[in-house]
Amino acid sequence: MEHDGTSHEVEAEDGISIMEAAKSNGVPGIDADCGGACACATCHVYIDPLWLPKTGSRSQMEEDMLDIAEGIEANSRLACQIRIDGTLDGLVAHIPENQY
Ligand code: FES
């Protein structure tokens, strides 16, 4: 979901990241400058609180990258670090207004 409330529903196969799913389906607002290497923090998203338990926790590397992003909240994640599997069907992620 974009910051202005625009909603996008995408189909994605298991094993890809939610960043890849968003990019390949033309969802705006995720830059992903490093291509998913956990090295840029421009794929920042806010995971809907209802889905937080299913998306797991941040790795140390992800924590370090989020330290350089702005607007970080408890539900902030890097979209390239969440892999889709059957348990994430219906996952809701909110895209920040800007990626820094
Ligand atoms: Fe660069 Fe996710 S795409 S950290």
Side-chain angles (χ1 to χ4, degrees), residues 17 19 30-44 62 65 77-81:
S17 69
M19 176 277 281
I30 296 179
D31 297 339
D33 292 340
C34 77
C38 198
C40 73
T42 62
C43 64
H44 175 209
E62 185 177 354
M65 289 313 303
R77 292 294 306 270
L78 294 178
C80 68
Q81 298 302 299

Side-chain angles (χ1 to χ4, degrees), residues 5-6 8 18 30 34 52 64-65 68 71 74 77 79 84 89 92:
T6 304
H8 301 267
I18 64 172
I30 296 179
C34 77
L52 274 178
D64 292 345
M65 289 313 303
I68 67 169
R77 292 294 306 270
I84 292 170
D89 188 17
V92 176

Side-chain angles (χ1 to χ4, degrees), residues 11-87:
E11 295 288 329
E13 58 192 69
D14 286 0
I16 69 169
S17 69
I18 64 172
M19 176 277 281
E20 292 169 309
K23 296 283 283 181
S24 65
N25 283 278
V27 178
I30 296 179
D31 297 339
D33 292 340
C34 77
C38 198
C40 73
T42 62
C43 64
H44 175 209
V45 294
Y46 302 107
I47 301 299
D48 192 280
L50 292 174
W51 286 92
L52 274 178
K54 291 195 172 179
T55 52
S57 55
R58 303 170 186 159
S59 68
Q60 186 58 54
M61 190 175 183
E62 185 177 354
E63 290 276 6
D64 292 345
M65 289 313 303
L66 283 169
D67 282 346
I68 67 169
E70 292 187 5
I72 299 306
E73 303 287 347
N75 60 338
S76 290
R77 292 294 306 270
L78 294 178
C80 68
Q81 298 302 299
I82 300 174
R83 298 265 159 213
I84 292 170
D85 64 26
T87 68

